[in-house]
Amino acid sequence: MELAQALQVQSRVVYALILRETRSRYGNSKLGFFWALFEPFAHIAVFMTIFSALGRAIPIGDSMGVFILTGIAPWLLFNNIVTGIMGGVDGNRPLLGYPQVMPMDTMIARILLESSTIIIIFLLFMGLALNFGFTIEIDDVLMMMSSAGILVVLAAGVGMINAAIKLYYPSYATIYSAFSRPFYFMSGIFFTADFLSPEVLGLIDFNPILHMVEWFRSGFYRSFNSEFYDINYVITTTLIIFIIGLMAERATRKRARQI
């Protein structure tokens, strides 16, 4: 009975935090949601311009824009959740004075908000692609959902670890931002794994995001079935990082309230 009441209180707190985040981000200005739409559009436009200038063929399907979207959406899902969790405590500092609001609640709220935002944007872009006459025949929705779901768990783990480090070293957010930039180019946003030479692929196959992008695209395209991604590696890596993240959040919970 006490557990049920505690879960009920937490669900209300998380819901209130989501409403607060949504209003502060999108409610006060239309630019907030415009930027959420503009960011993936900018990535797609830049890469389409580059590839058109180079005369590069579309790796999969009949639309370079859709191909890049199937890479940029998983990347933004991961990156936005990580950065959102890192800023969750600072962004909700006044509320942490209430005993009902825990640091984990701010993280859960941001995970749900960032995930739903990326899903909505992805669906909007799919609708635009269909409106412009591109053929979209999704092969396996469950496969796409599985890869995206595990990617969310991985991002949550990385985010919790980063948030814990940031409590002791506030400048770590800048360091992480610089460290994560190479992963943008190693995560399969604008290429498939079979496009790379074995030597290059051997240097980046440790990146679980690349595995999940390949997994996501294998579910999206009927004409594509990647032999690169390793589900066991992805799940094992994700669980290890997520458990470490939970331990880090637990160990720094008191400090998060004090600062």
Side-chain angles (χ1 to χ4, degrees), residues 61-62 66 126 130 134-141 144 217-224:
D62 61 353
V66 173
M126 287 295 99
L130 289 171
F134 293 105
T135 301
I136 297 176
E137 297 179 350
I138 296 176
D139 183 40
D140 192 333
V141 175
M144 293 173 59
R217 282 185 173 140
S218 295
F220 185 86
Y221 289 102
R222 291 184 178 180
S223 59
F224 180 68

Side-chain angles (χ1 to χ4, degrees), residues 203-214:
L203 295 175
I204 65 173
D205 64 355
F206 70 92
N207 180 9
I209 306 173
L210 173 59
H211 287 257
M212 281 183 263
V213 170
E214 291 279 303

Side-chain angles (χ1 to χ4, degrees), residues 25 73-88 106-118 148-160 162-163 176:
R25 192 177 304 184
W75 167 257
L76 290 178
L77 180 64
F78 172 83
N79 189 63
N80 289 3
I81 288 176
V82 172
T83 55
I85 291 175
M86 288 178 65
T106 67
M107 298 178 183
I108 294 174
R110 293 211 168 187
I111 290 171
L112 294 175
L113 180 59
E114 298 294 350
S115 299
S116 59
T117 300
I118 294 299
I150 294 176
L151 188 59
V152 169
V153 177
L154 175 66
V158 174
M160 287 187 289
N162 287 350
Y176 173 78

Side-chain angles (χ1 to χ4, degrees), residues 26 32-38 40-41 44 65-66 69 73 115-134 136 138 220:
Y26 306 127
F33 192 71
F34 172 78
W35 171 250
L37 288 171
F38 178 76
F41 174 79
I44 293 170
V66 173
L69 179 64
S115 299
S116 59
T117 300
I118 294 299
I119 291 171
I120 291 171
I121 290 172
F122 182 80
L123 293 176
L124 285 175
F125 274 88
M126 287 295 99
L128 286 174
L130 289 171
N131 186 59
F132 281 101
F134 293 105
I136 297 176
I138 296 176
F220 185 86

Side-chain angles (χ1 to χ4, degrees), residues 178-193:
F179 174 77
S180 65
R181 284 172 189 168
F183 282 86
Y184 177 87
F185 298 98
M186 297 190 298
S187 297
I189 295 172
F190 50 89
F191 63 86
T192 58

